Amino acid sequence: MTISKKQNGTELEIALEGRLDTTTAPQLEGELKHSIDGVTDLIMDFSKLEYISSAGLRVLLAAQKVMNRQGSMVIRGVNETVMEVFEITGFVDILTIE
Amino acid sequence: MAKKRKFNLQPKLLIGLVLMAIVLMFSLISILIIIFCGVMYQYYSWVTFDNASVCSYVIDGDRIERYYNNGKIGEKDDYYEMIGDYLLEVKNQVGLQYLYVAVPEQDNIVYVWDAGAPDEDGIHKLGESIQMFGEIKDVMQTAYAGGADMLDSVLFTESSAVAFVPLLNSDNKPVALIAVSIPIERVSRHVETFTVLALISTIVVMLISSFFYYLYIRKILVRPLRNLHHAVTGLVSDNMEHLDSFDLKIKTRDEVGDLANGFNQMVKELNEYINNLSRVTAEKERIGAELDVATHIQKSMLPCTFPAFPDRKEIDIYATMTPAKEVGGDFYDFFMVDDRHLAIVMADVSGKGVPAALFMVIGKTLIKDHTVPGYDLGAVFTEVNDLLCESNSEGLFITAFEGVLDLVTGEFNYVNAGHEMPFICRSGENFAPYKIKAGFVLAGMEGMRYRAGSLTLAPGDKVFQYTDGVTEATNSDNELYGMERLENVLNLNKDSAPAELLPKVKEDIDAFVGEAPQFDDITMLCLEYKSRMEDNNE
């Protein structure tokens, strides 16, 4: 999985490419832990994300909880497979998906 | 040792040294002989030339003209006889081949004296003339003209060295040539003697010095290397057991000494490394053993005695869990809530390892505790969720499905917290995913509300529930097993009893995955509602 970041003041855009699963989730977790401080608008671009597993959901949930305190988090470009996972797990209810 | 060694270093060294000595010896001797020959030839040139010169001083040139004057031969006299005796004496004393005085003409020479005993053969008489040609003639003429220096007037033939010196009269004009010849075999005899001596002395010197050099090399190189080799093979044959006492006693202050020091250092570090490794391995084994125990405890928490309710004819239930390598977080559960209600639970804790396993234990216990007769399943999950959120520092969550079947009416109440949809197979029909609006995962966020749903099962209906380890089993091409394959294999075996159906599904998954590793627990549960329970209260 590749992670690309774009920081614009307090706005942070993270684009993911590939699979977010048990092996790659710690990578995203480390990246977020490192750069989420002071961010008020977190934008996740999922247009190139092929798959998300429960380990990936856990990282998203943690990020959502942090952003609930310090701003907002938006997820963009969610494909059908990933959307299905969000629906099954009820994540659609707590995430902001555009 | 992979390859047998053909030659040891010592004989190699020895052969090399001897070969070098031989080459050196021969080249040295050749050069010496060439130089020696040059010197010898020069020496003989001097000797012949000096003899001839001495004679030329002794003999009175003016008198020659009396014995030979423009082709006329004169009388011998006392002086002639005296000089003849003198020349013979010189010839014998010095050991000359021949010694004569002659007057050169156009192509001939005319003998005046030719030293020799009266009865000797081949001695020319006064006035005898012989023809000259070739090189001898050229050298004679040059010498007679007086234009030659010493070496030009000495001629080396195959058997002798001949020197020609002009004999002058009182007007300093040449009147005759004195020829002196020394047999060349004396030169070659000298060279032979020299060669033999040089050969013997070089051989002796070379052999002695090679031998000492060999001893020296053996001391500074071969012996230490052999010691090193023995020490190292000793280490290996002792199975590396005496690493701490390993010390190479090679103290030379050169590359071999450096090598030995390097070895000592290496073995020391190897020793430390091995000690470290054994410590770490022991620790790892301990942790591994404890994890094994944890896995066993976790597994033993899941009901695994089948048939589970042998005295219940109304239901048949079967469940399996195939854990991945690590302790995982999948769990299933089934229990009688009261006499007529059966609860089934299927859940998956996000993440792996000990945290997930511990969280699973909490989740499983809480769900079972809260499922009490007559209590709404939505309220059960709402409470369990709040309790789980309190003790969730790791940010884990659980996707869970719980269903409670009323064995009398067939009413199946369920609640879904972010878990996969169950498959329902109506009697005589096919398995199909049963769409349920999912609630949020458990332990994800406090204060979430869960709502229960309801459907009615008829006798002969089956419910199949599973975790994402099934649909997300991955083969070596990174393909997922998926819902479609699952639905197909379920329908191919829809008439099988739960205890036969689940192994069939597992077989199909295994065939799909092939050699690829299993990342997630594979957990499945199948409930068959066989017949209605008689309601004793009615």
Side-chain angles (χ1 to χ4, degrees), chain A residues 19 22 51-54 57-58 61 64-65 68 87-91 93-94, chain B residues 350 352 394-397 418-420 437-441 444-445 448 472 480:
Chain A
R19 293 165 59 89
T22 322
Y51 169 77
I52 188 163
S53 82
S54 60
L57 291 177
R58 193 178 134 231
L61 180 60
Q64 182 66 54
K65 281 182 180 171
N68 282 349
E87 273 165 8
I88 289 174
T89 53
F91 267 68
D93 298 335
I94 63 136
Chain B
S350 66
K352 283 196 173 62
E394 286 295 306
L396 296 166
F397 60 78
H419 201 81
E420 274 75 9
K437 170 85 175 77
F440 191 51
V441 296
M445 205 159 281
M448 296 299 292
E472 292 178 6
L480 299 182

Side-chain angles (χ1 to χ4, degrees), chain A residues 74-85:
Chain A
V74 173
I75 297 177
R76 282 185 189 150
V78 180
N79 74 15
E80 214 174 306
T81 320
V82 176
M83 195 62 193
E84 207 176 301
V85 174

Side-chain angles (χ1 to χ4, degrees), chain A residues 10-77:
Chain A
T10 58
E11 190 186 284
L12 177 68
E13 191 177 330
I14 291 182
L16 301 182
E17 196 178 334
R19 293 165 59 89
L20 184 56
D21 54 24
T22 322
T23 47
T24 56
Q27 198 183 335
L28 177 63
E29 192 175 14
E31 193 60 59
L32 282 171
K33 201 177 262 177
H34 186 246
S35 50
I36 207 165
D37 274 351
V39 173
T40 56
D41 292 283
L42 179 63
I43 298 156
M44 303 274 234
D45 184 355
F46 277 16
S47 44
K48 283 176 182 164
L49 187 72
E50 296 159 15
Y51 169 77
I52 188 163
S53 82
S54 60
L57 291 177
R58 193 178 134 231
V59 178
L60 277 192
L61 180 60
Q64 182 66 54
K65 281 182 180 171
V66 174
M67 292 316 295
N68 282 349
R69 285 197 299 271
Q70 64 187 49
S72 66
M73 176 169 120
V74 173
I75 297 177
R76 282 185 189 150

Side-chain angles (χ1 to χ4, degrees), chain B residues 28-103:
Chain B
L28 204 64
I29 288 174
S30 310
I31 292 169
L32 281 179
I33 287 173
I34 289 167
I35 294 174
F36 183 75
C37 284
V39 171
M40 284 319 281
Y41 277 104
Q42 195 160 28
Y43 173 71
Y44 276 94
S45 301
W46 278 108
V47 171
T48 45
F49 188 79
D50 283 355
N51 274 305
S53 300
V54 168
C55 293
S56 75
Y57 287 121
V58 170
I59 296 167
D60 181 3
D62 293 340
R63 292 219 182 216
I64 299 290
E65 288 168 331
R66 288 193 207 163
Y67 309 127
Y68 170 84
N69 197 353
N70 291 329
K72 284 175 264 174
I73 305 300
E75 293 282 316
K76 295 180 184 174
D77 55 7
D78 289 347
Y79 182 79
Y80 180 87
E81 296 297 342
M82 189 188 79
I83 291 299
D85 292 343
Y86 164 75
L87 290 179
L88 182 59
E89 188 67 21
V90 170
K91 180 187 168 192
N92 290 337
Q93 287 295 321
V94 183
L96 302 177
Q97 198 179 28
Y98 54 80
L99 167 60
Y100 62 81
V101 177
V103 179

